[in-house]
Structures are given as C-alpha cells and as structure tokens.
Amino acid sequence: MTFSDFKLNKQLLNAIEEAGYTTPTPIQKKAIPLVLAGHDIIGIAQTGTGKTAAFALPMLMKIKYAQGTQPRGLILAPTRELVMQIQEEVKKFSIYTDLRSVALYGGPSVRTQGEAISAGIDIVVATPQRFWDIYKQGYIDSRKIQMMVMDEADRMMDMGFMPQIRRILEIVPAKKRQNMLFSATMPAKVLALADEFLKFPERIEISPQATAATTVKQMRYAVPNIKSKINLLAYLLQDKEKFSRVMVFAKTKTTANNIYKFLVRKVDTDVRVIHANKDQNARINAMKDFKAGNIRILVTTDIAARGIDISMVTQVINFDVPHQSEDYVHRIGRTGRAEQLGEAITFFNIAEDPLIKSIEQLIREEIPVLPYPEEVPLEPTPFVEQQEMLRALDMRKQREDPEYKGAFHEKKKYVHKRPKPKAKIKGGGQSNKNRKHNRK
Ligand code: AMP
C-alpha cells in the first residue's frame, strides 16, 4: 500500500513524497480513509507511530485551500514542543497548498500571536490554555471550526487542562464538526472526555493499551536514597559507548536541575536539562541538539519531554518512579523505537515500591530487579529524606484506605485510646489477686 491509494490530492501526495514517506504506517492506513469518509476517531497510539500525519493529512485534504480569515481546523496538544512539532508537520504537508497554519503556545505575548492570526488562518495548533487566552482577547473567531483534534488527551487531562478544554468545546460549533481524539493510554477519565467529544467514533488501537514496547528491556534497582541514586547514575553513565544517547527522567524541576549540575561537574559535560522553567529557546535548542546526536545525556521532567519525537534513545533512566503509571509507559516509549533495542532502567526507594506495583499491573508484566552493583557506594539516608519517604508511603496508603491513619499518627492514636488509669470498674472491680491471675 502507498499513499497514492488514499484519496489525497496531488499537492499533498507531492509533499508526502518530498518528506520521504513511502509506506503509510499502520495508524495512517487505518485512520486516513476513515477520516476522509467523515468519521469521528478515537485513536490509542503513542508518539512515534505516525499519528500526526494520520490526522493532519486528511484534515489538510478536507480543509483543502485557504478560505476567509477564520480557522476551520483546530488541533489541541498539551505542550509547546508538541504543538510546534505538529505544526511543522502540517506546514511540511501543506507546502504545495495555500493553507495557513499557526502554532500557539505560552511564551510569546498573546498580542503578538493574536495579531499573527487575525490576518487570516486556516489551521490552528495550540495548547488549550493559549488558545483560550487568545480567544478571550478576541483574536479568534471559532465559529467556522469544522474539524478538531485532541492529541495526547491523557496528558492534557493530567496537566489539568480539562477546564480550558470544556470552555473550548462550548465555543466551537457542535454540529457538523468532525472530531478526533488520540491518547497513548485510555483511562476512564479519557473515555469520559471521548464520550463528550466524539460522535459514534471509530476506534483505532495501534499498540495494545499501555503495553510497553517489546523492543525495550526493562530493569530496576532498589536504591535507598537520592545520594545513592546519584552514585548509581554516575556509575552507569561512565560507559559512554553503551550509554550513548540517554534520557534521564526526574519527577521535579529541582531534581532535574540537581542531577544536571552533578553530571556536569562529575561525569560529563555532554549533558543538557529541559523543564518547564527553562526559557523556550533553551528548550528548543537542547531538543534539537539531542535529536541531532550532539548531546549524550538529556535530563528532563515528564512535562517537558511529553510527546517529543526523539528516536534511537539507547537508555531511558527513571531517576524517580513516576507517580502516574501511564507516565512510565510514555517515558520508556522514548527508547526501543523503530525496531531499535532500548533499555529502561528505573531507580526506586521504599516509598516508590508501591508505585512500581501499579506500573507492573498496568503493563501486565514484572520489571526485574537487578542487584545494586557492589562497587557503587551506598550512602546513609539522611533523617529528613527518611521522614519524607515515610510520609509519602503514608499518604499513599491513606489514599488507598481512608481508614488508615498512618505511621505518623500512630503515637497520637495510642495516647488517645489509652484508658484512664483511675477509671472505676462498675460493680467494684476485681481484687488484685484476680487481676494477676487473669493476666497469666
Ligand atoms: P509521530 O508519531 O506522528 O510523532 O511520527 C513519528 C515520526 O515518524 C516522525 O518523525 C514522522 O515524521 C515519521 N513518520 C510518520 N509517518 C511516516 C511514514 N509513513 N513514513 C516514514 N516516516 C513517517
């Protein structure tokens, strides 16, 4: 099967050829004819499957040529990197048409972006927040939107974009709108959104839900504390040949920064860090350099790395276990792509052990534990870190069982329940002799 088997016009086919695409990927084979036939789509697919072209090509085919000033296609995606990536793909395919597209994301001023589109636009790719900001300022007329895509719906919800999405759905025409929703995972909340958003959708599933890519070798190390995690990371990264293109994931911006600083100082200067606080140019440049193979190690948080198409990563190292099990699947999806064998290495402490259990349930397989290498120093756990871990464990147990009071409350509970020493027992009580006897 080739792209010319789809009912796409010459302009698109030329652009596809120029992009070097010869054979449609499985998701493209399934989605393109369905979208061209006017169906709503719910797609379960990760980045790397070719899903962008799967929705962009039929959208370009249907929107066809520039018309008026108001947008007719809207694509929502969670992060600016993904928005930019999608719009680049849209631009690439619309090169032989007069279609106008724009990428809207936080960073540049609302006014600059607003003015750029008021001259006339056909396709808008945007983060929900920025789209809403620009709409609110009166730069967008949404009444002509006839095709709408939500990409990485699970992540948009995890990032708290639901209120903006709701507002956007209220201001786009409900009738005759064709919709597509893509998500790497399909938890109940995404299904609920799909129910609201889609009309009799056709379901396309590319990889079974939340199944880790078979080309990824997964493993984990039990590591008691942050300092030991750092030691183990430094130890692993010494092997420059094996660890030639590595993504290190951290839970927070602070941890990502600390890891970065340590690596630069002690391990290798061939490293960059990206997270939401980094300015946009720094993030884009770091991504480009890493993609081009100019940087060996990229330290990142989940949000910054979401949906970014980076292939041929040799190892994904989870410095922290992600709180959302789905994030684990996303993270390790960066490696083992396109038939390349990759490794996913996870460090976990006692507080993170339950998170591993949830992940294993989700991916329906066990992640083998490797012995902590003897030559790597094990550091003692500082008191504060110990307390934090216990607190995290408690919080998790409490979430699972609201009755659970937790180790931090046990003392209090005990004191509270202690019977008053002088309480008199009705009926005169027992004699001392009897009491002793009973105790035996
Ligand atoms: P996506 O899942 O849309 O992020 O796409 C992943 C990567 O595959 C991107 O770099 C695309 O340019 C590339 N790609 C998508 N479809 C095809 C195709 N049919 N042939 C070759 N490369 C493709």
Side-chain angles (χ1 to χ4, degrees), residues 213-235:
T214 47
T215 47
V216 182
K217 191 172 161 212
Q218 300 174 70
M219 60 203 90
R220 60 189 169 118
Y221 289 97
V223 196
N225 48 49
I226 295 177
K227 275 194 169 165
S228 307
K229 282 186 175 185
I230 286 275
N231 291 346
L232 180 58
L233 182 67
Y235 169 81

PDB file of all heavy atoms in Angstrom, residues 213-235:
ATOM      1  N   ALA A 213       6.652  -1.193  24.854  1.00  0.00           N
ATOM      2  CA  ALA A 213       7.175  -1.663  23.572  1.00  0.00           C
ATOM      3  C   ALA A 213       8.011  -2.922  23.801  1.00  0.00           C
ATOM      4  O   ALA A 213       8.769  -3.009  24.760  1.00  0.00           O
ATOM      5  CB  ALA A 213       8.025  -0.569  22.950  1.00  0.00           C
ATOM      6  N   THR A 214       7.839  -3.888  22.918  1.00  0.00           N
ATOM      7  CA  THR A 214       8.533  -5.166  23.132  1.00  0.00           C
ATOM      8  C   THR A 214      10.033  -5.023  22.897  1.00  0.00           C
ATOM      9  O   THR A 214      10.803  -5.885  23.280  1.00  0.00           O
ATOM     10  CB  THR A 214       7.988  -6.233  22.177  1.00  0.00           C
ATOM     11  OG1 THR A 214       7.925  -5.643  20.884  1.00  0.00           O
ATOM     12  CG2 THR A 214       6.636  -6.724  22.610  1.00  0.00           C
ATOM     13  N   THR A 215      10.427  -3.930  22.265  1.00  0.00           N
ATOM     14  CA  THR A 215      11.846  -3.753  21.986  1.00  0.00           C
ATOM     15  C   THR A 215      12.578  -3.087  23.152  1.00  0.00           C
ATOM     16  O   THR A 215      13.739  -2.750  23.041  1.00  0.00           O
ATOM     17  CB  THR A 215      12.038  -2.893  20.716  1.00  0.00           C
ATOM     18  OG1 THR A 215      11.193  -1.769  20.830  1.00  0.00           O
ATOM     19  CG2 THR A 215      11.719  -3.665  19.470  1.00  0.00           C
ATOM     20  N   VAL A 216      11.869  -2.873  24.261  1.00  0.00           N
ATOM     21  CA  VAL A 216      12.509  -2.235  25.412  1.00  0.00           C
ATOM     22  C   VAL A 216      12.801  -3.273  26.500  1.00  0.00           C
ATOM     23  O   VAL A 216      11.905  -3.988  26.941  1.00  0.00           O
ATOM     24  CB  VAL A 216      11.604  -1.135  26.013  1.00  0.00           C
ATOM     25  CG1 VAL A 216      12.313  -0.459  27.178  1.00  0.00           C
ATOM     26  CG2 VAL A 216      11.214  -0.127  24.969  1.00  0.00           C
ATOM     27  N   LYS A 217      14.054  -3.335  26.911  1.00  0.00           N
ATOM     28  CA  LYS A 217      14.419  -4.226  28.008  1.00  0.00           C
ATOM     29  C   LYS A 217      14.295  -3.421  29.296  1.00  0.00           C
ATOM     30  O   LYS A 217      14.965  -2.403  29.460  1.00  0.00           O
ATOM     31  CB  LYS A 217      15.859  -4.699  27.788  1.00  0.00           C
ATOM     32  CG  LYS A 217      16.259  -5.814  28.694  1.00  0.00           C
ATOM     33  CD  LYS A 217      17.626  -6.349  28.288  1.00  0.00           C
ATOM     34  CE  LYS A 217      18.221  -7.116  29.445  1.00  0.00           C
ATOM     35  NZ  LYS A 217      19.667  -7.022  29.481  1.00  0.00           N
ATOM     36  N   GLN A 218      13.412  -3.877  30.174  1.00  0.00           N
ATOM     37  CA  GLN A 218      13.171  -3.112  31.394  1.00  0.00           C
ATOM     38  C   GLN A 218      13.897  -3.741  32.586  1.00  0.00           C
ATOM     39  O   GLN A 218      13.985  -4.956  32.680  1.00  0.00           O
ATOM     40  CB  GLN A 218      11.682  -3.091  31.705  1.00  0.00           C
ATOM     41  CG  GLN A 218      10.857  -2.453  30.608  1.00  0.00           C
ATOM     42  CD  GLN A 218       9.385  -2.599  30.925  1.00  0.00           C
ATOM     43  OE1 GLN A 218       8.875  -1.979  31.833  1.00  0.00           O
ATOM     44  NE2 GLN A 218       8.709  -3.437  30.169  1.00  0.00           N
ATOM     45  N   MET A 219      14.360  -2.896  33.475  1.00  0.00           N
ATOM     46  CA  MET A 219      15.007  -3.387  34.693  1.00  0.00           C
ATOM     47  C   MET A 219      14.931  -2.300  35.763  1.00  0.00           C
ATOM     48  O   MET A 219      14.644  -1.144  35.454  1.00  0.00           O
ATOM     49  CB  MET A 219      16.457  -3.756  34.405  1.00  0.00           C
ATOM     50  CG  MET A 219      17.285  -2.601  33.898  1.00  0.00           C
ATOM     51  SD  MET A 219      18.714  -3.134  32.970  1.00  0.00           S
ATOM     52  CE  MET A 219      18.067  -3.205  31.317  1.00  0.00           C
ATOM     53  N   ARG A 220      15.176  -2.699  37.010  1.00  0.00           N
ATOM     54  CA  ARG A 220      15.139  -1.688  38.077  1.00  0.00           C
ATOM     55  C   ARG A 220      16.142  -2.024  39.172  1.00  0.00           C
ATOM     56  O   ARG A 220      16.527  -3.189  39.346  1.00  0.00           O
ATOM     57  CB  ARG A 220      13.729  -1.559  38.654  1.00  0.00           C
ATOM     58  CG  ARG A 220      13.202  -2.834  39.262  1.00  0.00           C
ATOM     59  CD  ARG A 220      11.725  -2.670  39.600  1.00  0.00           C
ATOM     60  NE  ARG A 220      11.104  -3.919  39.947  1.00  0.00           N
ATOM     61  CZ  ARG A 220      10.560  -4.185  41.131  1.00  0.00           C
ATOM     62  NH1 ARG A 220      10.554  -3.271  42.084  1.00  0.00           N
ATOM     63  NH2 ARG A 220      10.007  -5.349  41.382  1.00  0.00           N
ATOM     64  N   TYR A 221      16.544  -0.987  39.884  1.00  0.00           N
ATOM     65  CA  TYR A 221      17.468  -1.141  41.005  1.00  0.00           C
ATOM     66  C   TYR A 221      16.800  -0.575  42.260  1.00  0.00           C
ATOM     67  O   TYR A 221      16.227   0.523  42.200  1.00  0.00           O
ATOM     68  CB  TYR A 221      18.727  -0.299  40.780  1.00  0.00           C
ATOM     69  CG  TYR A 221      19.669  -0.795  39.703  1.00  0.00           C
ATOM     70  CD1 TYR A 221      19.612  -0.261  38.417  1.00  0.00           C
ATOM     71  CD2 TYR A 221      20.640  -1.752  39.990  1.00  0.00           C
ATOM     72  CE1 TYR A 221      20.503  -0.679  37.430  1.00  0.00           C
ATOM     73  CE2 TYR A 221      21.532  -2.173  39.010  1.00  0.00           C
ATOM     74  CZ  TYR A 221      21.454  -1.640  37.731  1.00  0.00           C
ATOM     75  OH  TYR A 221      22.333  -2.047  36.766  1.00  0.00           O
ATOM     76  N   ALA A 222      16.899  -1.307  43.364  1.00  0.00           N
ATOM     77  CA  ALA A 222      16.447  -0.755  44.639  1.00  0.00           C
ATOM     78  C   ALA A 222      17.572   0.135  45.160  1.00  0.00           C
ATOM     79  O   ALA A 222      18.702  -0.327  45.357  1.00  0.00           O
ATOM     80  CB  ALA A 222      16.167  -1.875  45.628  1.00  0.00           C
ATOM     81  N   VAL A 223      17.278   1.416  45.313  1.00  0.00           N
ATOM     82  CA  VAL A 223      18.308   2.367  45.761  1.00  0.00           C
ATOM     83  C   VAL A 223      17.715   3.161  46.927  1.00  0.00           C
ATOM     84  O   VAL A 223      16.651   3.737  46.796  1.00  0.00           O
ATOM     85  CB  VAL A 223      18.695   3.345  44.617  1.00  0.00           C
ATOM     86  CG1 VAL A 223      19.994   4.057  44.933  1.00  0.00           C
ATOM     87  CG2 VAL A 223      18.805   2.627  43.288  1.00  0.00           C
ATOM     88  N   PRO A 224      18.420   3.166  48.096  1.00  0.00           N
ATOM     89  CA  PRO A 224      17.764   3.684  49.298  1.00  0.00           C
ATOM     90  C   PRO A 224      17.518   5.190  49.335  1.00  0.00           C
ATOM     91  O   PRO A 224      16.600   5.646  50.004  1.00  0.00           O
ATOM     92  CB  PRO A 224      18.715   3.271  50.423  1.00  0.00           C
ATOM     93  CG  PRO A 224      20.039   3.070  49.765  1.00  0.00           C
ATOM     94  CD  PRO A 224      19.749   2.605  48.382  1.00  0.00           C
ATOM     95  N   ASN A 225      18.323   5.989  48.660  1.00  0.00           N
ATOM     96  CA  ASN A 225      18.171   7.441  48.817  1.00  0.00           C
ATOM     97  C   ASN A 225      18.755   8.187  47.611  1.00  0.00           C
ATOM     98  O   ASN A 225      19.383   7.572  46.743  1.00  0.00           O
ATOM     99  CB  ASN A 225      18.861   7.906  50.105  1.00  0.00           C
ATOM    100  CG  ASN A 225      20.262   7.326  50.190  1.00  0.00           C
ATOM    101  OD1 ASN A 225      21.026   7.412  49.223  1.00  0.00           O
ATOM    102  ND2 ASN A 225      20.587   6.695  51.299  1.00  0.00           N
ATOM    103  N   ILE A 226      18.551   9.500  47.621  1.00  0.00           N
ATOM    104  CA  ILE A 226      18.936  10.311  46.463  1.00  0.00           C
ATOM    105  C   ILE A 226      20.431  10.240  46.190  1.00  0.00           C
ATOM    106  O   ILE A 226      20.860  10.075  45.053  1.00  0.00           O
ATOM    107  CB  ILE A 226      18.519  11.784  46.671  1.00  0.00           C
ATOM    108  CG1 ILE A 226      16.986  11.868  46.713  1.00  0.00           C
ATOM    109  CG2 ILE A 226      19.037  12.667  45.536  1.00  0.00           C
ATOM    110  CD1 ILE A 226      16.439  13.232  46.979  1.00  0.00           C
ATOM    111  N   LYS A 227      21.236  10.334  47.253  1.00  0.00           N
ATOM    112  CA  LYS A 227      22.689  10.333  47.046  1.00  0.00           C
ATOM    113  C   LYS A 227      23.147   9.034  46.396  1.00  0.00           C
ATOM    114  O   LYS A 227      24.009   9.033  45.521  1.00  0.00           O
ATOM    115  CB  LYS A 227      23.410  10.541  48.376  1.00  0.00           C
ATOM    116  CG  LYS A 227      23.542  11.998  48.720  1.00  0.00           C
ATOM    117  CD  LYS A 227      24.541  12.165  49.843  1.00  0.00           C
ATOM    118  CE  LYS A 227      24.889  13.628  50.022  1.00  0.00           C
ATOM    119  NZ  LYS A 227      25.566  13.830  51.301  1.00  0.00           N
ATOM    120  N   SER A 228      22.583   7.926  46.839  1.00  0.00           N
ATOM    121  CA  SER A 228      22.960   6.643  46.239  1.00  0.00           C
ATOM    122  C   SER A 228      22.456   6.575  44.793  1.00  0.00           C
ATOM    123  O   SER A 228      23.117   6.005  43.926  1.00  0.00           O
ATOM    124  CB  SER A 228      22.397   5.481  47.045  1.00  0.00           C
ATOM    125  OG  SER A 228      22.759   5.603  48.399  1.00  0.00           O
ATOM    126  N   LYS A 229      21.289   7.180  44.543  1.00  0.00           N
ATOM    127  CA  LYS A 229      20.781   7.209  43.169  1.00  0.00           C
ATOM    128  C   LYS A 229      21.760   7.949  42.263  1.00  0.00           C
ATOM    129  O   LYS A 229      22.026   7.547  41.138  1.00  0.00           O
ATOM    130  CB  LYS A 229      19.403   7.892  43.110  1.00  0.00           C
ATOM    131  CG  LYS A 229      18.247   7.018  43.576  1.00  0.00           C
ATOM    132  CD  LYS A 229      16.906   7.722  43.347  1.00  0.00           C
ATOM    133  CE  LYS A 229      15.734   6.807  43.701  1.00  0.00           C
ATOM    134  NZ  LYS A 229      14.435   7.421  43.367  1.00  0.00           N
ATOM    135  N   ILE A 230      22.277   9.054  42.797  1.00  0.00           N
ATOM    136  CA  ILE A 230      23.259   9.844  42.039  1.00  0.00           C
ATOM    137  C   ILE A 230      24.509   9.008  41.766  1.00  0.00           C
ATOM    138  O   ILE A 230      25.033   8.983  40.656  1.00  0.00           O
ATOM    139  CB  ILE A 230      23.626  11.133  42.828  1.00  0.00           C
ATOM    140  CG1 ILE A 230      22.473  12.136  42.748  1.00  0.00           C
ATOM    141  CG2 ILE A 230      24.926  11.740  42.365  1.00  0.00           C
ATOM    142  CD1 ILE A 230      22.462  13.023  41.518  1.00  0.00           C
ATOM    143  N   ASN A 231      24.963   8.282  42.797  1.00  0.00           N
ATOM    144  CA  ASN A 231      26.156   7.439  42.624  1.00  0.00           C
ATOM    145  C   ASN A 231      25.929   6.398  41.537  1.00  0.00           C
ATOM    146  O   ASN A 231      26.784   6.161  40.688  1.00  0.00           O
ATOM    147  CB  ASN A 231      26.499   6.694  43.928  1.00  0.00           C
ATOM    148  CG  ASN A 231      27.005   7.640  45.004  1.00  0.00           C
ATOM    149  OD1 ASN A 231      27.334   8.789  44.714  1.00  0.00           O
ATOM    150  ND2 ASN A 231      27.058   7.172  46.240  1.00  0.00           N
ATOM    151  N   LEU A 232      24.751   5.785  41.576  1.00  0.00           N
ATOM    152  CA  LEU A 232      24.462   4.728  40.609  1.00  0.00           C
ATOM    153  C   LEU A 232      24.365   5.313  39.196  1.00  0.00           C
ATOM    154  O   LEU A 232      24.874   4.737  38.228  1.00  0.00           O
ATOM    155  CB  LEU A 232      23.153   4.016  40.995  1.00  0.00           C
ATOM    156  CG  LEU A 232      22.716   2.874  40.087  1.00  0.00           C
ATOM    157  CD1 LEU A 232      23.773   1.779  39.996  1.00  0.00           C
ATOM    158  CD2 LEU A 232      21.392   2.251  40.573  1.00  0.00           C
ATOM    159  N   LEU A 233      23.741   6.480  39.109  1.00  0.00           N
ATOM    160  CA  LEU A 233      23.618   7.138  37.800  1.00  0.00           C
ATOM    161  C   LEU A 233      25.007   7.435  37.225  1.00  0.00           C
ATOM    162  O   LEU A 233      25.294   7.142  36.059  1.00  0.00           O
ATOM    163  CB  LEU A 233      22.817   8.438  37.954  1.00  0.00           C
ATOM    164  CG  LEU A 233      22.555   9.235  36.681  1.00  0.00           C
ATOM    165  CD1 LEU A 233      21.623   8.462  35.747  1.00  0.00           C
ATOM    166  CD2 LEU A 233      21.928  10.597  36.998  1.00  0.00           C
ATOM    167  N   ALA A 234      25.875   8.006  38.077  1.00  0.00           N
ATOM    168  CA  ALA A 234      27.229   8.337  37.629  1.00  0.00           C
ATOM    169  C   ALA A 234      27.957   7.071  37.187  1.00  0.00           C
ATOM    170  O   ALA A 234      28.649   7.061  36.168  1.00  0.00           O
ATOM    171  CB  ALA A 234      27.993   9.018  38.768  1.00  0.00           C
ATOM    172  N   TYR A 235      27.760   6.009  37.939  1.00  0.00           N
ATOM    173  CA  TYR A 235      28.423   4.740  37.625  1.00  0.00           C
ATOM    174  C   TYR A 235      27.974   4.219  36.251  1.00  0.00           C
ATOM    175  O   TYR A 235      28.784   3.861  35.404  1.00  0.00           O
ATOM    176  CB  TYR A 235      28.101   3.739  38.737  1.00  0.00           C
ATOM    177  CG  TYR A 235      28.498   2.317  38.438  1.00  0.00           C
ATOM    178  CD1 TYR A 235      29.815   1.896  38.607  1.00  0.00           C
ATOM    179  CD2 TYR A 235      27.548   1.390  37.996  1.00  0.00           C
ATOM    180  CE1 TYR A 235      30.177   0.581  38.331  1.00  0.00           C
ATOM    181  CE2 TYR A 235      27.903   0.082  37.722  1.00  0.00           C
ATOM    182  CZ  TYR A 235      29.214  -0.321  37.882  1.00  0.00           C
ATOM    183  OH  TYR A 235      29.570  -1.614  37.601  1.00  0.00           O
TER     184      TYR A 235
END
